[in-house]
Each structure stands twice: as structure tokens, then as C-alpha cells.
Amino acid sequence: MSTLTIAAVQTNIQWLDKAKNLANLAERLDSIKSADLIVLPETFSTGFGMDDEAIQEPQQSGMVYEWMQQQSIKHNAVIAGSVFVEDAGRKRNRFYWIYPNGETYFYDKRHLFRLGHEEQYVNPGTSREVFEINQIRILPQVCYDLRFPVWSRNRQDYDVMVNVANWPIMRRDAWDTLLKARAMENQVFVVGVNRVGLDGKNVDHSGGTAIYDFLGRAIVSAEDNQQQIIQMTIDIDELKAFRQSYPMLKDADDFEIKI
């Protein structure tokens, strides 16, 4: 298959309340008739409260992980989103990628948000991952990763970038601009999934959940400040045809990332 149907979920996350957030999301996901991939925001079950010990989950187990498995089976779709998990007395900001058959992969957020003191509580990821659905290659990213283009540089090894975030309204222009830039410079579709609402640290979020094509055009986007699910079916054959007509990636500089 050359197509991928994506459901991007923009939601208001209730601060540190896993049960309420999961119940709210389960109800909203019931409106999805069919999708290959369902994407939830960064820390969708708790909000960005990395300094609270109660929010972390065991690795590949626990309430939130089991809920994701159940939702993946129910909707017959990959479900993805980030969760704080335990890691050697600290945490990881873990982007789970769960298939309906139970197969699980993950990417740990590499770039920790220093302004919010994330690095004081969270261990950074050490590897770049690429996942697949329908033989379509997908690069997972988490929030602040978006500001570091070398980390997301397309080595002709992916077709879609997915970034899940708690990106505040005060820096919303950067979110919109960088999503568009990553799509154009890497010749990929980009899916940006952000939250809305005020969090427990009095930080406001306006959303900006959208799917961009390889020309940097927002082909579908959510309403600001609204809980909403947007859906789009993208065609990778269109992307391949564009890359053939404008083979920019063949002229990209070679480099090595040292971790």
C-alpha cells in the first residue's frame, strides 16, 4: 500500500490525572471510523509534570501502556504518544509505538527542554528510530526535538515525520514555522500533534495540530484552542514522484551525529 490514514488527536490534558485523561481520550477516539495511525500529544496522560514522582509508569507495563494496547486493538491501528517512564531512579520521555498485534517499539526523547528543567528529571534518548506502517517509513520526534534539524535530517530513510508536543502558546509561531520547514527541507510529510489548554504550571497551549505535505503546505489542521481529531489519508506515491522530479536530497551534505 502507498497510503497512510492518520488521526491526530488535539486534546486538553488534565494535570496529573491519568484516569480522567484516558477516559476522555477513549471517548474521543470512538469517533474515528478507520485509521492506520492514531497519534496522541506528548505526555497525553499527565501533562508535562516531569518533577512529580507519581506520574511515571513502569517500562512497557502499567496503566497507560495497557490502555494504549487496548485502544490499538479496538481501533485496529497503531497508537502513538509519549509517556514518562521509570529509568534508573529518573525518567524517560518515551514515545510509544504500539501495533494492534501487541508489537511495541519506542523512541526516547533526545533533546530535553532545558527551559522547563526537563534535564533535571529525565534521561535523554540515545538513538534515532524509524518505524513502519504499510512499508511507509516514519520518524518519531518529541516536542523540543523539532528545534534541532540535524537530528531529523532525512538520510533518505523516512517518508513521514511525527512530532508530539506540549508546545506553549508563547512560542506558537516557532511551532508552525518549524513544522513547515522540516517538511520542506526533508521532502517528507510532517504530522504535528499538540495539546490545548492551561497546564498545572500555568502554561497555556493553543494547539496547532496539523498535517503538512512535502511542500510545507498544511493540508489539514485543527481549530485553535479546541479539542479535535483531524484525519487525513496521505499518498506516498505523490511524495516519491515529487522527489524524482526534484531530487534535492541527493545533494545533501554528509555528516555524522555523535551521541
Side-chain angles (χ1 to χ4, degrees):
M1 290 181 65
S2 68
T3 62
L4 181 71
T5 300
I6 303 163
V9 183
Q10 181 169 283
T11 186
N12 187 352
I13 303 169
Q14 302 303 305
W15 191 246
L16 308 185
D17 194 334
K18 294 179 186 178
K20 185 174 288 187
N21 287 317
L22 298 184
N24 173 48
L25 284 166
E27 181 178 353
R28 293 186 175 281
L29 295 188
D30 283 343
S31 68
I32 300 172
K33 291 183 172 58
S34 178
D36 300 305
L37 172 62
I38 299 170
V39 188
L40 309 174
E42 179 185 27
T43 60
F44 62 87
S45 62
T46 59
F48 199 61
M50 87 293 292
D51 53 345
D52 191 297
E53 291 302 318
I55 67 168
Q56 64 194 30
E57 293 268 308
Q59 295 192 23
Q60 288 184 226
S61 63
M63 174 182 179
V64 180
Y65 177 77
E66 291 172 3
W67 178 89
M68 293 181 75
Q69 287 183 310
Q70 293 164 6
Q71 293 298 316
S72 179
I73 294 167
K74 180 178 181 179
H75 296 282
N76 192 32
V78 171
I79 190 161
S82 96
V83 179
F84 284 124
V85 299
E86 299 171 349
D87 185 63
R90 288 165 59 86
K91 302 179 181 70
R92 297 263 188 181
N93 190 338
R94 178 155 293 177
F95 182 117
Y96 276 126
W97 185 269
I98 301 177
Y99 291 90
N101 65 3
E103 195 173 351
T104 298
Y105 295 91
F106 63 84
Y107 159 71
D108 289 335
K109 183 178 182 181
R110 172 63 183 164
H111 299 93
L112 304 180
F113 187 49
R114 188 173 301 276
L115 190 61
H117 308 297
E118 189 176 14
E119 83 288 351
Q120 295 181 16
Y121 305 94
V122 178
N123 291 325
T126 58
S127 65
R128 178 180 177 277
E129 304 292 337
V130 176
F131 306 138
E132 285 194 9
I133 303 175
N134 300 339
Q135 297 184 315
I136 296 169
R137 303 165 302 173
I138 303 166
L139 179 81
Q141 302 270 276
V142 180
C143 203
Y144 194 44
D145 286 330
L146 187 62
R147 288 189 178 272
F148 301 92
V150 173
W151 188 242
S152 60
R153 178 64 66 201
N154 192 356
R155 309 300 293 268
Q156 301 188 59
D157 62 348
Y158 75 96
D159 309 301
V160 181
M161 178 191 299
V162 174
N163 187 292
V164 300
N166 274 218
W167 199 286
I169 192 171
M170 68 187 79
R171 289 182 286 277
R172 171 65 187 277
D173 284 349
W175 168 255
D176 295 336
T177 301
L178 293 173
L179 288 172
K180 182 174 183 177
R182 297 296 88 85
M184 291 188 292
E185 71 192 10
N186 292 300
Q187 293 189 323
V188 293
F189 289 96
V190 169
V191 181
V193 183
N194 194 24
R195 66 160 294 174
V196 295
L198 199 66
D199 72 12
K201 296 181 183 294
N202 208 37
V203 176
D204 204 3
H205 308 76
S206 61
T209 297
I211 300 172
Y212 293 80
D213 71 6
F214 41 84
L215 295 173
R217 302 175 298 194
I219 49 180
V220 61
S221 41
E223 297 290 329
D224 283 358
N225 303 303
Q226 300 293 323
Q227 296 193 96
Q228 186 179 355
I229 298 175
I230 59 171
Q231 284 195 243
M232 185 72 191
T233 299
I234 61 174
D235 191 338
I236 299 302
D237 284 344
E238 293 180 6
L239 170 60
K240 291 178 180 178
F242 175 71
R243 286 175 175 171
Q244 287 177 353
S245 69
Y246 188 64
M248 179 192 74
L249 294 176
K250 293 183 179 180
D251 298 320
D253 300 306
D254 194 18
F255 64 93
E256 180 181 355
I257 297 175
K258 295 182 179 180
I259 298 176

